[in-house]
Amino acid sequence: MKILGIETSCDETAAAVVEDGARILSHQIASQVAIHARYGGVVPEVASRQHLLAIIPVIERVMTEAKAGWNDLDGIAVTIGPGLAGSLLVGVNVAKVIALASRLPITGVNHLEGHIYANWLSGQCPSFPVVCLIVSGGHSDLVLMKDHGDYQLLGRTRDDAAGEAFDKAARILGLGYPGGPAIEQAASRGTATIQLPRAWLKGSYDFSFSGVKTALLRLVEAGQVSSVADAAASFQEAVVDVLVTKTIAAAREQKVKQILVAGGVAANRLLRQRLKENSPIPVLVPELILCTDNAAVIAACGYYRFRAGKTDGLDLDVVPNLRIA
Ligand code: KG4
Ligand code: ZN
């Protein structure tokens, strides 16, 4: 089954053709990062305009690269949320036009659910039940997944998402945007010597990262940060410590077979390493390129939705604040 995936939820215009939810035949990402970097973050109206300019060429490229015509496809999967309404609308409307003109079935995919499917595209086949840590720019969710499409939310952030915290910390330290990779790079030159607070929220699998960010800001304002590299390493250490400890605790309590990690922050090497070192339960991590936003994961998730008969009509609409469970 060949699925065309389309993703335009934030600042990447992406398309991919994926076979049977596991083999990537082609995938392309037109990134807007350089444009938004000037403003220190994503500007929604600029993002939708860029999606409009990029979406058709990106889809044409993946179809050529996959050596596929519309007749070779079995369906279209498109992100409907969560994300920026104006950006999501570009992908959803283009997907509907192709579906109508080519008589192809369409399915709307939850972006966060899509992120999880990076784990099925990295040459690995997860075994249920799993606990999945989804950490992106907008979300930090700890989810119990018992089967395809069967999610139970165990915990979520009460304030900043993990990626958002990395982005804000990078801004505080003058490291630019996007903050996650910038913090990681600076941290590689430093040592985690500064003690920053961790919000454990005992008895809950929820997260909170605004305290550690504010503590960093206070230190910078007080002129107490002499090494940006050490501050970046200390911040990364504090965030990773909480993510790893809570994920392993949840996986043990739920007695799952594996732990999966997904979303942009899953690209963080310290997070990947610490989870693997400390977990008694096997940990699967996606390929780096599949952690951040892309359409291959949307196509993979779409494949399982089609298999379960979850086809949508042409009245499919965007849901900017969609949740996973
Ligand atoms: O999943 P994603 O590409 O987009 C959203 O759905 O939000 O995640 C983007 C987030 C950004 O906040 C970015 O700073 C963070 O993921 N990120 C990282 C790393 N690479 C991206 N955070 C920490 N370490 C990284 N290497
Ligand atoms: Zn994402």
Side-chain angles (χ1 to χ4, degrees):
M1 206 177 184
K2 284 184 190 156
I3 307 297
L4 169 67
I6 297 175
E7 153 65 40
T8 62
S9 67
C10 189
D11 58 347
E12 322 276 9
T13 316
V17 179
V18 172
E19 192 166 29
D20 296 338
R23 280 181 303 286
I24 300 175
L25 304 184
S26 60
H27 88 123
Q28 292 280 336
I29 304 168
S31 177
Q32 305 174 8
V33 163
I35 297 166
H36 298 290
R38 257 181 272 157
Y39 308 99
V42 179
V43 183
E45 285 183 19
V46 176
S48 0
R49 204 170 173 74
Q50 289 303 316
H51 286 307
L52 272 176
L53 295 173
I55 188 76
I56 302 293
V58 164
I59 291 174
E60 281 175 347
R61 259 184 276 152
V62 294
M63 293 298 287
T64 306
E65 211 182 293
K67 298 186 178 60
W70 303 124
N71 290 341
D72 300 312
L73 296 178
D74 297 284
I76 301 175
V78 61
T79 305
I80 55 164
L84 303 168
S87 292
L88 290 162
L89 273 168
V90 176
V92 169
N93 283 319
V94 168
K96 288 204 275 194
V97 169
I98 298 173
L100 180 66
S102 311
R103 297 179 202 282
L104 284 166
I106 190 169
T107 192
V109 171
N110 180 319
H111 178 82
L112 300 171
E113 205 180 331
H115 270 306
I116 299 177
Y117 279 85
N119 288 285
W120 273 262
L121 285 168
S122 300
Q124 47 199 24
C125 188
S127 317
F128 295 118
V130 299
V131 153
C132 185
L133 173 69
I134 312 168
V135 266
S136 69
H139 296 81
S140 301
D141 289 343
L142 204 45
V143 169
L144 171 67
M145 185 179 181
K146 290 188 188 151
D147 201 347
H148 295 289
D150 179 352
Y151 305 98
Q152 184 187 327
L153 188 67
L154 302 174
R156 64 201 300 263
T157 187
R158 293 188 186 174
D159 39 57
D160 293 348
E164 185 182 0
F166 271 103
D167 293 336
K168 287 179 176 170
R171 207 173 304 150
I172 291 168
L173 295 172
L175 290 171
Y177 168 88
I183 293 269
E184 179 167 24
Q185 207 183 1
S188 69
R189 297 188 297 270
T191 319
T193 47
I194 306 168
Q195 264 307 315
L196 290 170
R198 278 103 164 123
W200 293 111
L201 308 176
K202 286 248 158 51
S204 159
Y205 288 123
D206 282 353
F207 300 105
S208 165
F209 296 112
S210 71
V212 60
K213 171 203 68 190
T214 306
L216 180 69
L217 178 65
R218 296 281 172 267
L219 287 176
V220 170
E221 283 174 345
Q224 287 172 2
V225 169
S226 53
S227 159
V228 167
D230 287 355
S234 307
F235 181 82
Q236 180 178 245
E237 182 74 36
V239 173
V240 166
D241 190 11
V242 176
L243 291 175
V244 167
T245 306
K246 290 206 165 213
T247 303
I248 294 174
R252 290 178 87 129
E253 189 184 66
Q254 298 294 333
K255 300 189 172 53
V256 294
K257 289 196 184 141
Q258 288 170 338
I259 291 174
L260 310 185
V261 200
V265 183
N268 186 275
R269 286 173 181 79
L270 186 71
L271 174 62
R272 295 160 79 98
Q273 179 197 330
R274 284 286 167 77
L275 267 174
K276 287 190 168 175
E277 276 171 8
N278 293 301
S279 172
I281 297 161
V283 178
L284 300 189
V285 293
E287 275 177 58
L288 285 182
I289 180 71
L290 297 175
C291 290
T292 42
D293 289 350
N294 68 86
V297 301
I298 304 303
C301 181
Y303 165 76
Y304 286 98
R305 286 181 61 81
F306 280 125
R307 258 191 23 172
K310 294 175 181 167
T311 300
D312 289 298
L314 288 176
D315 56 349
L316 181 66
D317 203 357
V318 302
V319 190
N321 55 1
L322 188 63
R323 291 170 68 162
I324 195 152

